[in-house]
Every structure is written in C-alpha cells, then in structure tokens.
Amino acid sequence: AIDNLRRMTAPALRAEWRRVYRIPAPGLSADLLMRGIAWRLQEKAHGGLNANIERQLLRRADGGEEQPVQARVTKLKAGAQLVRSWRGKTHSVIVTEDGFLWNGTCYGSLTGIASAITGTHWSGPRFFGLTNKKRQVHGAA
C-alpha cells in the first residue's frame, strides 16, 4: 500500500488522506501528504506511540511545559553497595558522598566503573541493573 502512494497524484493523495484519517487533508505538499499517510498505515499495522509519549507531544504542541520522559527516579544513598558479577568475578561498588568507590579508587560515575570492568563503553546504571525502560536512575550516571 505504501508503494502505491508514490504513484498517486496530489488529488489522489488528498482523497487517501481523507479515507485514512477521516478528516480533510491539510494544505501540505504531495510529499508530506504521502509521508503522513504512510505513517498512519504503519501505525495501524504495527501500533503507534505509547499513551504517555503521545500526551507529552500533544502538551508540547499546545505550548505546554516541556518535561523529560521519566517514569521513576531512584536516588542512591551514600553507603549503599552495588554488586555485579562479570565473567566469573564479583565486583562490589560502594556509593559515597562524592561518587563511587571500586577497587580502592573513587569514580565520579558508574559508567566509568562499568567501562573499567568490561573494557568497553557501558551505561553504568544499566550495567549494575539500576535502569530499565521504565526506570531512570538520578545521580548515578
């Protein structure tokens, strides 16, 4: 269906817009009409934005305050211990007032420690299991 859009004339694209969106087509170029229709077809086939993102976009479009997407925030307290096993070795990190202590060295971020342990760039909070798609760690990156 999307391939057929490329062959449509501007009036045909306006008619297709009306069919797909159930509203009259806006005054856009044929290229933008084609892209908007293609988006809608893909959205119907594969699902659209999640409700939270859609609300934020609508709020921003209406001139509302921009707020970052954050579901939950976890604050690590000094004295907390993070433990991670990597390639058969257990690594323990102590949260301090100024950063993170690992192997007798103070690091400013968990990312620095994760990179030192793995030898490659890693998100420190993700490496230590503190983040997922629904959770973001505050003050730990």
Side-chain angles (χ1 to χ4, degrees), residues 8-19:
M8 289 185 175
T9 63
L13 286 168
R14 292 189 188 292
E16 183 67 5
W17 183 284
R18 185 185 252 317
R19 186 188 71 75

Side-chain angles (χ1 to χ4, degrees), residues 46 60 93 108:
H46 303 291
R60 289 176 186 184
V93 175

Side-chain angles (χ1 to χ4, degrees), residues 13-141:
L13 286 168
R14 292 189 188 292
E16 183 67 5
W17 183 284
R18 185 185 252 317
R19 186 188 71 75
V20 170
Y21 282 98
R22 299 177 189 226
I23 59 171
L28 300 173
S29 69
D31 182 60
L32 289 177
L33 288 171
M34 181 187 66
R35 290 171 188 266
I37 295 165
W39 164 264
R40 185 66 167 178
L41 294 174
Q42 290 175 359
E43 180 184 42
K44 284 183 176 181
H46 303 291
L49 298 172
N50 74 39
N52 185 33
I53 298 294
E54 194 166 352
R55 276 193 303 275
Q56 288 187 20
L57 289 171
L58 289 171
R59 186 170 44 243
R60 289 176 186 184
D62 291 337
E65 184 178 317
E66 291 189 24
Q67 296 177 352
V69 177
Q70 271 187 339
R72 289 182 238 151
V73 176
T74 301
K75 178 90 171 157
L76 298 173
K77 295 183 180 181
Q81 183 176 12
L82 306 173
V83 179
R84 167 71 197 259
S85 180
W86 177 258
R87 296 194 174 164
K89 184 175 179 188
T90 301
H91 300 274
S92 178
V93 175
I94 305 295
V95 179
T96 67
E97 293 290 333
D98 300 322
F100 305 91
L101 185 64
W102 175 69
N103 278 356
T105 304
C106 192
Y107 288 79
S109 71
L110 287 174
T111 299
I113 297 170
S115 295
I117 291 170
T118 64
T120 185
H121 178 75
W122 268 77
S123 161
R126 184 163 298 239
F127 179 79
F128 284 98
L130 300 173
T131 65
N132 59 34
K133 291 182 182 178
K134 301 248 185 218
R135 197 155 128 180
Q136 186 171 354
V137 175
H138 175 70

